[in-house]
Amino acid sequence: AKASGRNNYQFFTQTMNQAAAHHFELESSLRGALARYEFELFYQPIIDIDTRQVHTLEVLLRWRRGGHGLVQPDAFIPIMEESGLIVPVGEWVMRKACEQSVAWQRQGLKPVPLAVNLSPRQFMHKGLIESIRRILDETGIDPALIEFEITETALMQHGEQTLGILGQINRMGIRLSIDDFGTGYSSLAYLKRFPVKKVKIDRAFIKDLENSAEDRAIVAAIIALSNSLQLSVVAEGVESEGQYKLLKGSGCQYAQGFLFSQPVEVQDVTRALAA
Ligand code: C2E
Ligand code: CA
Ligand code: CA
Ligand code: CA
């Protein structure tokens, strides 16, 4: 028993060291990624449930890592969040999204609002408001075409401080929505104190909608309460017609998910907007 305990320990530390080495390698190559132009924006439509037309495009970061192909955010955003790299990269995302929106308008394409994710770290960064102002100024974008998504958990963590920052963003004419709603165990009544217009129900509640009466009840309750608080609702991760029909029947206004489109690259959006 002793020997195997020892082996387990060795195996454990070895795996830990490998994980640490992997993390270190990712972090150091992320540090140069911005300067090497390896980041890219993908776009995923949020559709109007009644018309199935595009209502907003969510901006999703991708990393085209040299020698590794396209890396999905779950593999690198947490590392950037931890190291603080998310602050400059997040600023780049905002700027790039605004520039792209202006470019589409210059091409005479129909303006579609863009929803940009703001991470907790960015949100708490002192320079945030100043950098948003600068980006609005320098790109000349209409702030009504920009929306920020902030997770429920981030809002809850920073209570009162958050209220002030959200107020400033709101006064610049940028709309705010609550992302991943339902995972943070807060109440809509509490969140309503923040100047938000939209709630995005986390995919976890949509996934089993067709089989789970419980999830259907939760989602129906979120939609009903949101509507009575003048918040519009987006269902995330809609993958089937069955889910779509249930959501439509519950009075949900917007939906996002693979049923309508995967996140796509910029050329695909340009083509779709021009069609
Ligand atoms: P999120 O903000 O909740 O974004 C939605 C995620 O769900 C996206 O994953 C999208 O591809 C995925 N998704 C959409 N529809 C479906 C569906 O029908 N089924 C399934 N299984 N998934 C679906 P993605 O692009 O991998 O992004 C993951 C997370 O990374 C995002 O979750 C967000 O938290 C973060 N992220 C992405 N881009 C940025 C960014 O620019 N800044 C920050 N701070 N975070 C970002
Ligand atoms: Ca989001
Ligand atoms: Ca989400
Ligand atoms: Ca999420």
Side-chain angles (χ1 to χ4, degrees), residues 85-104:
L85 262 177
I86 192 69
V87 172
V89 174
E91 189 174 328
W92 178 87
V93 170
M94 255 189 269
R95 178 179 296 276
K96 188 82 183 169
C98 293
E99 287 172 356
Q100 188 57 64
S101 172
V102 170
W104 279 325

mmCIF file of all heavy atoms in Angstrom, residues 85-104:
data_model
loop_
_atom_site.group_PDB
_atom_site.id
_atom_site.type_symbol
_atom_site.label_atom_id
_atom_site.label_comp_id
_atom_site.label_asym_id
_atom_site.label_seq_id
_atom_site.Cartn_x
_atom_site.Cartn_y
_atom_site.Cartn_z
ATOM 1 N N LEU A 85 -3.616 40.026 -18.619
ATOM 2 C CA LEU A 85 -3.497 40.276 -20.060
ATOM 3 C C LEU A 85 -4.835 40.608 -20.703
ATOM 4 O O LEU A 85 -4.888 41.226 -21.776
ATOM 5 C CB LEU A 85 -2.950 39.012 -20.743
ATOM 6 C CG LEU A 85 -1.476 38.928 -21.045
ATOM 7 C CD1 LEU A 85 -1.158 37.566 -21.657
ATOM 8 C CD2 LEU A 85 -1.075 40.035 -22.013
ATOM 9 N N ILE A 86 -5.907 40.186 -20.080
ATOM 10 C CA ILE A 86 -7.240 40.441 -20.623
ATOM 11 C C ILE A 86 -7.502 41.940 -20.737
ATOM 12 O O ILE A 86 -8.309 42.359 -21.579
ATOM 13 C CB ILE A 86 -8.337 39.751 -19.769
ATOM 14 C CG1 ILE A 86 -9.695 39.754 -20.485
ATOM 15 C CG2 ILE A 86 -8.470 40.421 -18.410
ATOM 16 C CD1 ILE A 86 -9.793 38.881 -21.688
ATOM 17 N N VAL A 87 -6.811 42.755 -19.945
ATOM 18 C CA VAL A 87 -7.063 44.194 -20.001
ATOM 19 C C VAL A 87 -6.653 44.776 -21.363
ATOM 20 O O VAL A 87 -7.500 45.322 -22.077
ATOM 21 C CB VAL A 87 -6.445 44.942 -18.796
ATOM 22 C CG1 VAL A 87 -6.548 46.445 -18.976
ATOM 23 C CG2 VAL A 87 -7.146 44.511 -17.504
ATOM 24 N N PRO A 88 -5.371 44.626 -21.778
ATOM 25 C CA PRO A 88 -5.040 45.137 -23.117
ATOM 26 C C PRO A 88 -5.739 44.376 -24.249
ATOM 27 O O PRO A 88 -6.150 44.987 -25.237
ATOM 28 C CB PRO A 88 -3.516 44.972 -23.209
ATOM 29 C CG PRO A 88 -3.141 44.016 -22.130
ATOM 30 C CD PRO A 88 -4.166 44.191 -21.049
ATOM 31 N N VAL A 89 -5.889 43.074 -24.097
ATOM 32 C CA VAL A 89 -6.530 42.301 -25.176
ATOM 33 C C VAL A 89 -8.017 42.670 -25.281
ATOM 34 O O VAL A 89 -8.551 42.851 -26.382
ATOM 35 C CB VAL A 89 -6.330 40.773 -24.985
ATOM 36 C CG1 VAL A 89 -7.126 39.985 -26.018
ATOM 37 C CG2 VAL A 89 -4.851 40.418 -25.080
ATOM 38 N N GLY A 90 -8.662 42.827 -24.121
ATOM 39 C CA GLY A 90 -10.068 43.225 -24.121
ATOM 40 C C GLY A 90 -10.263 44.600 -24.749
ATOM 41 O O GLY A 90 -11.250 44.855 -25.438
ATOM 42 N N GLU A 91 -9.317 45.488 -24.520
ATOM 43 C CA GLU A 91 -9.379 46.815 -25.125
ATOM 44 C C GLU A 91 -9.235 46.706 -26.645
ATOM 45 O O GLU A 91 -9.929 47.374 -27.403
ATOM 46 C CB GLU A 91 -8.277 47.701 -24.529
ATOM 47 C CG GLU A 91 -8.410 49.143 -24.942
ATOM 48 C CD GLU A 91 -7.416 50.069 -24.244
ATOM 49 O OE1 GLU A 91 -7.054 49.795 -23.076
ATOM 50 O OE2 GLU A 91 -6.995 51.055 -24.883
ATOM 51 N N TRP A 92 -8.336 45.811 -27.064
ATOM 52 C CA TRP A 92 -8.166 45.565 -28.502
ATOM 53 C C TRP A 92 -9.469 45.045 -29.109
ATOM 54 O O TRP A 92 -9.872 45.469 -30.199
ATOM 55 C CB TRP A 92 -7.012 44.569 -28.723
ATOM 56 C CG TRP A 92 -6.806 44.221 -30.163
ATOM 57 C CD1 TRP A 92 -6.040 44.894 -31.076
ATOM 58 C CD2 TRP A 92 -7.403 43.117 -30.865
ATOM 59 N NE1 TRP A 92 -6.125 44.270 -32.303
ATOM 60 C CE2 TRP A 92 -6.945 43.176 -32.197
ATOM 61 C CE3 TRP A 92 -8.266 42.080 -30.499
ATOM 62 C CZ2 TRP A 92 -7.340 42.252 -33.169
ATOM 63 C CZ3 TRP A 92 -8.659 41.155 -31.460
ATOM 64 C CH2 TRP A 92 -8.194 41.242 -32.777
ATOM 65 N N VAL A 93 -10.141 44.132 -28.417
ATOM 66 C CA VAL A 93 -11.404 43.554 -28.903
ATOM 67 C C VAL A 93 -12.438 44.675 -29.129
ATOM 68 O O VAL A 93 -13.078 44.753 -30.168
ATOM 69 C CB VAL A 93 -11.968 42.496 -27.925
ATOM 70 C CG1 VAL A 93 -13.395 42.069 -28.310
ATOM 71 C CG2 VAL A 93 -11.058 41.270 -27.853
ATOM 72 N N MET A 94 -12.546 45.546 -28.115
ATOM 73 C CA MET A 94 -13.507 46.645 -28.213
ATOM 74 C C MET A 94 -13.215 47.531 -29.413
ATOM 75 O O MET A 94 -14.102 47.869 -30.184
ATOM 76 C CB MET A 94 -13.364 47.528 -26.958
ATOM 77 C CG MET A 94 -14.456 47.386 -25.950
ATOM 78 S SD MET A 94 -14.244 48.675 -24.716
ATOM 79 C CE MET A 94 -13.240 47.861 -23.521
ATOM 80 N N ARG A 95 -11.952 47.907 -29.542
ATOM 81 C CA ARG A 95 -11.557 48.799 -30.621
ATOM 82 C C ARG A 95 -11.802 48.158 -31.986
ATOM 83 O O ARG A 95 -12.386 48.751 -32.889
ATOM 84 C CB ARG A 95 -10.080 49.195 -30.478
ATOM 85 C CG ARG A 95 -9.569 50.095 -31.592
ATOM 86 C CD ARG A 95 -8.115 50.471 -31.361
ATOM 87 N NE ARG A 95 -7.949 51.261 -30.151
ATOM 88 C CZ ARG A 95 -8.115 52.578 -30.091
ATOM 89 N NH1 ARG A 95 -8.430 53.249 -31.192
ATOM 90 N NH2 ARG A 95 -7.944 53.225 -28.969
ATOM 91 N N LYS A 96 -11.374 46.914 -32.097
ATOM 92 C CA LYS A 96 -11.508 46.190 -33.363
ATOM 93 C C LYS A 96 -12.991 46.051 -33.746
ATOM 94 O O LYS A 96 -13.357 46.225 -34.908
ATOM 95 C CB LYS A 96 -10.875 44.798 -33.187
ATOM 96 C CG LYS A 96 -10.752 43.996 -34.441
ATOM 97 C CD LYS A 96 -9.525 44.400 -35.209
ATOM 98 C CE LYS A 96 -9.462 43.618 -36.521
ATOM 99 N NZ LYS A 96 -8.438 44.179 -37.400
ATOM 100 N N ALA A 97 -13.827 45.741 -32.758
ATOM 101 C CA ALA A 97 -15.266 45.587 -33.018
ATOM 102 C C ALA A 97 -15.858 46.912 -33.506
ATOM 103 O O ALA A 97 -16.612 46.941 -34.474
ATOM 104 C CB ALA A 97 -15.988 45.103 -31.762
ATOM 105 N N CYS A 98 -15.480 48.012 -32.851
ATOM 106 C CA CYS A 98 -15.996 49.327 -33.262
ATOM 107 C C CYS A 98 -15.523 49.680 -34.666
ATOM 108 O O CYS A 98 -16.297 50.162 -35.494
ATOM 109 C CB CYS A 98 -15.568 50.413 -32.270
ATOM 110 S SG CYS A 98 -16.341 50.223 -30.657
ATOM 111 N N GLU A 99 -14.244 49.416 -34.952
ATOM 112 C CA GLU A 99 -13.714 49.703 -36.290
ATOM 113 C C GLU A 99 -14.458 48.899 -37.348
ATOM 114 O O GLU A 99 -14.764 49.398 -38.427
ATOM 115 C CB GLU A 99 -12.217 49.369 -36.359
ATOM 116 C CG GLU A 99 -11.351 50.373 -35.618
ATOM 117 C CD GLU A 99 -9.878 49.930 -35.517
ATOM 118 O OE1 GLU A 99 -9.549 48.800 -35.959
ATOM 119 O OE2 GLU A 99 -9.071 50.705 -34.980
ATOM 120 N N GLN A 100 -14.745 47.650 -37.028
ATOM 121 C CA GLN A 100 -15.430 46.781 -37.977
ATOM 122 C C GLN A 100 -16.849 47.284 -38.243
ATOM 123 O O GLN A 100 -17.303 47.301 -39.384
ATOM 124 C CB GLN A 100 -15.463 45.341 -37.443
ATOM 125 C CG GLN A 100 -15.992 44.341 -38.445
ATOM 126 C CD GLN A 100 -15.202 44.334 -39.732
ATOM 127 O OE1 GLN A 100 -14.021 43.999 -39.746
ATOM 128 N NE2 GLN A 100 -15.837 44.730 -40.835
ATOM 129 N N SER A 101 -17.518 47.702 -37.184
ATOM 130 C CA SER A 101 -18.878 48.212 -37.334
ATOM 131 C C SER A 101 -18.895 49.441 -38.248
ATOM 132 O O SER A 101 -19.732 49.552 -39.151
ATOM 133 C CB SER A 101 -19.441 48.550 -35.955
ATOM 134 O OG SER A 101 -20.661 49.208 -36.078
ATOM 135 N N VAL A 102 -17.931 50.351 -38.010
ATOM 136 C CA VAL A 102 -17.839 51.552 -38.843
ATOM 137 C C VAL A 102 -17.519 51.170 -40.289
ATOM 138 O O VAL A 102 -18.102 51.709 -41.239
ATOM 139 C CB VAL A 102 -16.789 52.537 -38.262
ATOM 140 C CG1 VAL A 102 -16.492 53.671 -39.238
ATOM 141 C CG2 VAL A 102 -17.260 53.084 -36.914
ATOM 142 N N ALA A 103 -16.647 50.186 -40.474
ATOM 143 C CA ALA A 103 -16.285 49.752 -41.827
ATOM 144 C C ALA A 103 -17.510 49.190 -42.556
ATOM 145 O O ALA A 103 -17.738 49.504 -43.736
ATOM 146 C CB ALA A 103 -15.169 48.697 -41.766
ATOM 147 N N TRP A 104 -18.312 48.398 -41.862
ATOM 148 C CA TRP A 104 -19.537 47.860 -42.492
ATOM 149 C C TRP A 104 -20.473 48.981 -42.903
ATOM 150 O O TRP A 104 -21.073 48.943 -43.969
ATOM 151 C CB TRP A 104 -20.249 46.889 -41.541
ATOM 152 C CG TRP A 104 -19.661 45.509 -41.535
ATOM 153 C CD1 TRP A 104 -19.114 44.847 -42.604
ATOM 154 C CD2 TRP A 104 -19.575 44.604 -40.411
ATOM 155 N NE1 TRP A 104 -18.688 43.593 -42.196
ATOM 156 C CE2 TRP A 104 -18.968 43.421 -40.878
ATOM 157 C CE3 TRP A 104 -19.958 44.689 -39.066
ATOM 158 C CZ2 TRP A 104 -18.721 42.315 -40.048
ATOM 159 C CZ3 TRP A 104 -19.726 43.592 -38.243
ATOM 160 C CH2 TRP A 104 -19.104 42.418 -38.728
#
